[in-house]
Amino acid sequence: MGNLEILAGIIGSDGHIKRNKFRLVVVNQDSNFIKSIVLPLIKQITGKAPKPIFNKSAFGGWKFLIFVNSPFLWNTLQERFNIPAGKKSEKILPPNLQTNEERLDFISGWFAGDGCVTLFRGRPRLEMWSKSKDFIFWVKEVLKENGVISSVCLIKGKELFFLDIKRLESVKRFHEIINIPHPEKERKLISLLQEYSQPDLNTSN
């Protein structure tokens, strides 16, 4: 498991890079995710232990913000992962990653931030989104190379590209190759897969 790739995916999806001062920000509403995943990754990679700030969201509700200064991470995210400083949504390009494991780890981090585990006609379904067409089609291709079939559509009005994994075989394969670094999303996917695999006692006779 590549912790740098995972953290890069989380920041790329659920945070941003300031234009100056080598500052990075992670934003998320899940306190367990912040405490058990994000903060330990930041500590391991930067040696720093920032304190989350609990703040009111512009969309209602509350969110945690984490600010960390790291010249190494600030430069690496831009040079290796193609995450630009400032407004990044439409500008993100596919990362410069050499191995399949690095690509999958980066995607796992992105899914932790901007992915969803849900249901489609009673079956487990995975969703992921980005405003970058180049990036989302790169994810689609990497998943395809690893046996996961997905589709991409554009949500008009929001200019958002939506990646959808709804074939049960592909959802299972996704879970085989990617351990979602988000405790609640991973727990939910395991639960739905187990539930769907159970025989229906009402139709077994």
Side-chain angles (χ1 to χ4, degrees), residues 1-58:
M1 180 181 293
N3 289 338
L4 175 58
E5 288 76 22
I6 292 172
L7 181 59
I10 292 171
I11 294 174
S13 63
D14 235 6
H16 61 273
I17 305 171
K18 295 288 187 179
R19 291 188 182 276
N20 51 24
K21 298 183 179 179
F22 303 114
R23 199 169 219 200
L24 308 107
V25 185
V26 179
V27 184
N28 198 275
Q29 294 180 325
D30 191 317
S31 61
N32 186 32
F33 173 57
I34 291 292
K35 293 175 183 177
S36 65
I37 302 295
V38 179
L39 290 177
L41 286 175
I42 291 175
K43 175 68 173 177
Q44 180 185 12
I45 294 168
T46 70
K48 298 183 178 181
K51 292 183 178 181
I53 299 172
F54 198 45
N55 199 11
K56 193 169 185 178
S57 171

Side-chain angles (χ1 to χ4, degrees), residues 188-205:
K188 184 176 181 180
L189 180 55
I190 291 173
S191 177
L192 290 177
L193 286 172
Q194 289 176 341
E195 182 179 331
Y196 192 79
S197 66
Q198 295 297 319
D200 189 342
L201 299 179
N202 295 322
T203 60
S204 59
N205 294 328

Side-chain angles (χ1 to χ4, degrees), residues 3 12 88 108 148 157:
N3 289 338
K88 67 181 188 327
S108 76
V148 177

Side-chain angles (χ1 to χ4, degrees), residues 5-14 28 33 103-118 124-129 135-136 138-139 143 148 162-165 171 174-175 178-189:
E5 288 76 22
I6 292 172
L7 181 59
I10 292 171
I11 294 174
S13 63
D14 235 6
N28 198 275
F33 173 57
R103 297 182 189 109
L104 292 178
D105 284 337
F106 182 68
I107 291 172
S108 76
W110 195 283
F111 190 92
D114 270 347
C116 179
V117 179
T118 184
R125 176 180 186 172
L126 303 175
E127 302 169 349
M128 184 173 164
W129 46 87
F135 174 75
I136 207 70
W138 172 82
V139 173
L143 292 177
V148 177
F162 176 83
L163 184 143
D164 188 16
I165 305 171
V171 173
F174 182 96
H175 190 242
I178 289 179
N179 179 32
I180 305 172
H182 188 294
E184 177 56 25
K185 293 178 183 180
E186 177 71 6
R187 182 205 62 77
K188 184 176 181 180
L189 180 55

Side-chain angles (χ1 to χ4, degrees), residues 32-183:
N32 186 32
F33 173 57
I34 291 292
K35 293 175 183 177
S36 65
I37 302 295
V38 179
L39 290 177
L41 286 175
I42 291 175
K43 175 68 173 177
Q44 180 185 12
I45 294 168
T46 70
K48 298 183 178 181
K51 292 183 178 181
I53 299 172
F54 198 45
N55 199 11
K56 193 169 185 178
S57 171
F59 301 100
W62 294 84
K63 61 185 178 182
F64 290 95
L65 290 88
I66 301 174
F67 296 91
V68 60
N69 291 341
S70 171
F72 163 75
L73 195 54
W74 192 86
N75 285 309
T76 301
L77 290 177
Q78 295 181 76
E79 295 171 2
R80 186 177 173 205
F81 295 96
N82 286 328
I83 301 173
K87 186 178 180 181
K88 67 181 188 327
S89 298
E90 299 90 355
K91 300 177 182 178
I92 290 179
L93 295 173
N96 302 315
L97 301 176
Q98 302 303 313
T99 70
N100 186 57
E101 182 179 5
E102 289 174 340
R103 297 182 189 109
L104 292 178
D105 284 337
F106 182 68
I107 291 172
S108 76
W110 195 283
F111 190 92
D114 270 347
C116 179
V117 179
T118 184
L119 289 172
F120 173 73
R121 296 178 180 174
R123 294 180 295 181
R125 176 180 186 172
L126 303 175
E127 302 169 349
M128 184 173 164
W129 46 87
S130 172
K131 287 190 175 181
S132 169
K133 180 179 179 180
D134 289 336
F135 174 75
I136 207 70
F137 274 94
W138 172 82
V139 173
K140 184 178 187 294
E141 186 60 30
V142 172
L143 292 177
K144 181 180 178 182
E145 292 171 357
N146 285 274
V148 177
I149 304 303
S150 63
S151 60
V152 173
C153 66
L154 173 64
I155 301 177
K156 295 182 179 180
K158 294 185 177 181
E159 298 304 313
L160 194 67
F161 290 93
F162 176 83
L163 184 143
D164 188 16
I165 305 171
K166 57 189 176 185
R167 293 186 184 182
L168 181 60
E169 297 79 7
S170 288
V171 173
K172 289 180 178 179
R173 178 58 182 162
F174 182 96
H175 190 242
E176 289 175 359
I177 61 175
I178 289 179
N179 179 32
I180 305 172
H182 188 294

